[in-house]
């Protein structure tokens, strides 16, 4: 059984940082791409970025690319989302998701992601 679990959310003041973790099990880790998504109350879910686990190539959405870093740890079958200089607009439930791919480059179109984890709440206070 394949599983993903996002964790590391919490309450942080504007300007602060958080590192979210996405732990996985049951996958061939090198063969999957993992994406980060978020959904704020009353808004559609949007992509934050993604990583191809084989080569570690990443993509970050324009809205956050100057403030985030996505990385992985193959020994732990985990992916991380480091978020800095957080803003109240970053308040959302954050999800990680995965799909198998032979491409070096990940993508963030949601229909591509077959496997989704439970979300973790990030709240940024002003």
């Amino acid at each position: 059984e394949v599983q993903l679990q996002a964790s590391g959310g919490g309450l942080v003041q504007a300007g602060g940082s958080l590192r979210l973790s996405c732990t996985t099990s049951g996958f061939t880790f090198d063969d999957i791409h993992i994406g980060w998504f978020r959904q704020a109350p009353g808004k559609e879910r949007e992509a934050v970025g993604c990583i191809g686990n084989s080569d570690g190539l990443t993509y970050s959405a324009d809205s956050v690319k100057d403030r985030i870093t996505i990385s992985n740890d193959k020994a732990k079958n985990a992916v991380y989302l480091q978020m800095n200089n957080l803003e109240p607009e970053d308040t959302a439930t954050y999800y990680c998701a995965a799909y198998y791919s032979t491409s070096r480059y990940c993508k963030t179109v949601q229909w591509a992601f077959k496997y989704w984890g439970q979300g973790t709440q990030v709240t940024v206070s002003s």
Side-chain angles (χ1 to χ4, degrees):
E1 180 184 8
V2 297
Q3 289 186 327
L4 303 99
Q5 179 64 55
S7 62
L11 175 63
V12 62
Q13 288 189 329
S17 298
L18 277 176
R19 189 178 81 152
L20 305 184
S21 300
C22 176
T23 54
T24 73
S25 62
F27 292 100
T28 304
F29 191 72
D30 265 13
D31 294 344
I32 58 173
H33 293 177
I34 290 182
W36 285 99
F37 299 85
R38 66 185 183 183
Q39 187 166 23
K43 294 188 177 181
E44 293 187 354
R45 187 166 58 194
E46 65 175 357
V48 176
C50 61
I51 184 168
N53 281 333
S54 180
D55 291 345
L57 297 177
T58 63
Y59 165 81
S60 300
D62 287 343
S63 60
V64 296
K65 65 180 180 180
D66 294 333
R67 301 187 291 116
I68 72 164
T69 302
I70 299 174
S71 61
N72 65 10
D73 184 335
K74 293 186 179 185
K76 295 183 178 180
N77 289 339
V79 167
Y80 305 101
L81 172 63
Q82 175 70 43
M83 301 188 293
N84 301 320
N85 194 22
L86 284 160
E87 304 168 351
E89 293 73 23
D90 295 316
T91 295
T93 302
Y94 285 71
Y95 300 89
C96 59
Y99 67 99
Y100 278 99
S101 177
T102 58
S103 173
R104 296 183 65 207
Y105 303 99
C106 63
K107 54 190 175 185
T108 53
V109 287
Q110 295 187 39
W111 56 258
F113 289 83
K114 181 177 180 180
Y115 308 98
W116 290 80
Q118 300 281 355
T120 186
Q121 178 67 37
V122 172
T123 302
V124 184
S125 63
S126 57

